[in-house]
Amino acid sequence: MGILEEVKISINEDYILDYVNVYGEKTHDYVSKSEYIFKKGRIYGLICEQGAGGEGISRILTDKISDQSVKIFLDKIQTNDISKFSWYIGKTIKCGKIFKKELNVQRALELAIEKSHYKNIQTVIDEFHLSRNRLNYSLSNINQWEKWRASLAIGYVSGKQIFCFPWMDSLYFFDCMFNSSVFRFFKKITQNNGIIILPTSKEQNVQNLADEIIKIQCPRFEHCISNTDYFQKNF
């Protein structure tokens, strides 16, 4: 894979994305019509409320696109599959032709190492501060904070260039960054032309962390009850 200079997302109409959030709850994201450009070597903070499109951007950047309202351009060339360049932090990793089985961290790293410049798994363990006694766990069963480091390591060793985090509220964002310390690896990623996407609820969450702040404007979240005729007549 060559190095991407930029990724452009063009969303031509609003749509709703169903997903499971970081708390394990089924919910949905309202992805509104807009356009986004992400350039190599930069960290982006996507600011919005829950359900206002931040999670949707991370999903668009890491999934195979089937929705006709979404177009992705890699260095101005349209594609419907960006997955070979991107990685969703925390996603489970499965393998198998007929029955898909979730891989543990060690096996996922071993497969990634086969196609990388890394010579052995110990180098990755040391570099990403992984716990050797937890490598036999899958990402869905591992300690939450170890999960973020392990997932980031697997994506990086696999040669991915775009790293997308799930949308997180302020409390979860702080816990994720502080307890897992994944932010320590961000400079390594961006110095190697990586793009990091951090969707969260407040701009202050990514202060001094993100190179660029993008405030997602979602029409669904711009309503104010006191501006409605109903409120003014009945309050």
Side-chain angles (χ1 to χ4, degrees), residues 43 85-93 105 108-109 112 118 124-125 127-130 139 142-166 168 176-177 180-190 194-198 209:
I43 300 173
F85 291 97
S86 58
W87 191 255
Y88 185 87
I89 303 300
K91 75 171 184 178
T92 57
I93 304 162
V105 173
L109 283 172
Y118 286 89
V124 181
I125 292 172
E127 193 170 309
F128 288 89
H129 305 169
L130 303 181
L139 287 177
I142 205 170
N143 171 281
Q144 187 71 4
W145 312 126
E146 182 83 11
K147 171 183 177 179
W148 299 115
R149 291 196 300 275
S151 181
L152 191 69
I154 294 167
Y156 185 80
V157 176
S158 298
K160 304 299 184 180
Q161 190 180 344
I162 307 166
F163 297 84
C164 299
F165 281 77
M168 293 178 273
C176 170
M177 293 298 147
S180 71
S181 298
V182 288
F183 68 88
R184 292 180 297 177
F185 314 114
F186 286 0
K187 285 187 178 180
K188 173 193 291 290
I189 291 172
T190 54
I195 299 170
I196 299 174
I197 307 297
L198 299 171
L209 183 60

Side-chain angles (χ1 to χ4, degrees), residues 94-113:
K94 297 182 179 181
C95 188
K97 293 183 178 179
I98 300 177
F99 300 103
K100 298 289 185 180
K101 181 180 179 181
E102 187 177 356
L103 301 178
N104 62 28
V105 173
Q106 178 160 334
R107 185 54 184 152
L109 283 172
E110 287 171 346
L111 291 175
I113 288 171

Side-chain angles (χ1 to χ4, degrees), residues 16-30:
I16 293 177
L17 170 73
D18 295 317
Y19 73 102
V20 177
N21 66 17
V22 291
Y23 295 108
E25 304 164 333
K26 291 183 178 179
T27 184
H28 57 266
D29 213 33
Y30 188 85

Side-chain angles (χ1 to χ4, degrees):
M1 294 189 296
I3 299 297
L4 292 176
E5 294 294 324
E6 70 171 38
V7 179
K8 177 182 174 182
I9 299 174
S10 181
I11 303 167
N12 300 317
E13 60 184 46
D14 302 347
Y15 72 97
I16 293 177
L17 170 73
D18 295 317
Y19 73 102
V20 177
N21 66 17
V22 291
Y23 295 108
E25 304 164 333
K26 291 183 178 179
T27 184
H28 57 266
D29 213 33
Y30 188 85
V31 183
S32 54
K33 181 178 179 180
S34 193
E35 189 173 281
Y36 303 92
I37 296 177
F38 305 106
K39 296 182 180 293
K40 70 175 184 179
R42 295 181 68 79
I43 300 173
Y44 293 87
L46 306 186
I47 312 304
C48 66
E49 295 186 52
Q50 181 179 5
E55 177 71 26
I57 300 304
S58 278
R59 300 281 176 149
I60 289 171
L61 285 168
T62 52
D63 288 338
K64 190 169 183 177
I65 300 301
S66 56
D67 197 303
Q68 297 299 312
S69 63
V70 178
K71 293 181 180 179
I72 297 179
F73 299 87
L74 305 179
D75 292 338
K76 301 182 180 180
I77 299 175
Q78 188 174 348
T79 180
N80 67 342
D81 190 1
I82 194 176
S83 60
K84 67 179 180 180
F85 291 97
S86 58
W87 191 255
Y88 185 87
I89 303 300
K91 75 171 184 178
T92 57
I93 304 162
K94 297 182 179 181
C95 188
K97 293 183 178 179
I98 300 177
F99 300 103
K100 298 289 185 180
K101 181 180 179 181
E102 187 177 356
L103 301 178
N104 62 28
V105 173
Q106 178 160 334
R107 185 54 184 152
L109 283 172
E110 287 171 346
L111 291 175
I113 288 171
E114 289 177 4
K115 300 178 182 179
S116 75
H117 68 275
Y118 286 89
K119 294 182 179 180
N120 55 67
I121 197 169
Q122 187 60 48
T123 305
V124 181
I125 292 172
D126 294 339
E127 193 170 309
F128 288 89
H129 305 169
L130 303 181
S131 302
R132 176 166 275 285
N133 62 355
R134 292 173 179 166
L135 295 182
N136 61 329
Y137 289 90
S138 63
L139 287 177
S140 62
N141 294 311
I142 205 170
N143 171 281
Q144 187 71 4
W145 312 126
E146 182 83 11
K147 171 183 177 179
W148 299 115
R149 291 196 300 275
S151 181
L152 191 69
I154 294 167
Y156 185 80
V157 176
S158 298
K160 304 299 184 180
Q161 190 180 344
I162 307 166
F163 297 84
C164 299
F165 281 77
W167 182 93
M168 293 178 273
D169 60 30
S170 296
L171 177 60
Y172 201 99
F173 187 91
F174 179 85
D175 283 347
C176 170
M177 293 298 147
F178 186 83
N179 293 319
S180 71
S181 298
V182 288
F183 68 88
R184 292 180 297 177
F185 314 114
F186 286 0
K187 285 187 178 180
K188 173 193 291 290
I189 291 172
T190 54
Q191 286 170 357
N192 283 282
N193 300 305
I195 299 170
I196 299 174
I197 307 297
L198 299 171
T200 187
S201 55
K202 294 180 181 179
E203 185 174 344
Q204 67 189 52
N205 296 342
V206 291
Q207 186 177 0
N208 299 322
L209 183 60
D211 298 303
E212 185 174 335
I213 301 293
I214 298 175
K215 295 182 178 180
I216 296 178
Q217 303 299 322
C218 182
R220 192 177 184 183
F221 288 77
E222 294 176 356
H223 301 296
C224 178
I225 182 66
S226 61
N227 291 336
T228 64
D229 291 338
Y230 178 78
F231 177 89
Q232 293 172 13
K233 289 178 180 178
N234 295 278
F235 185 68

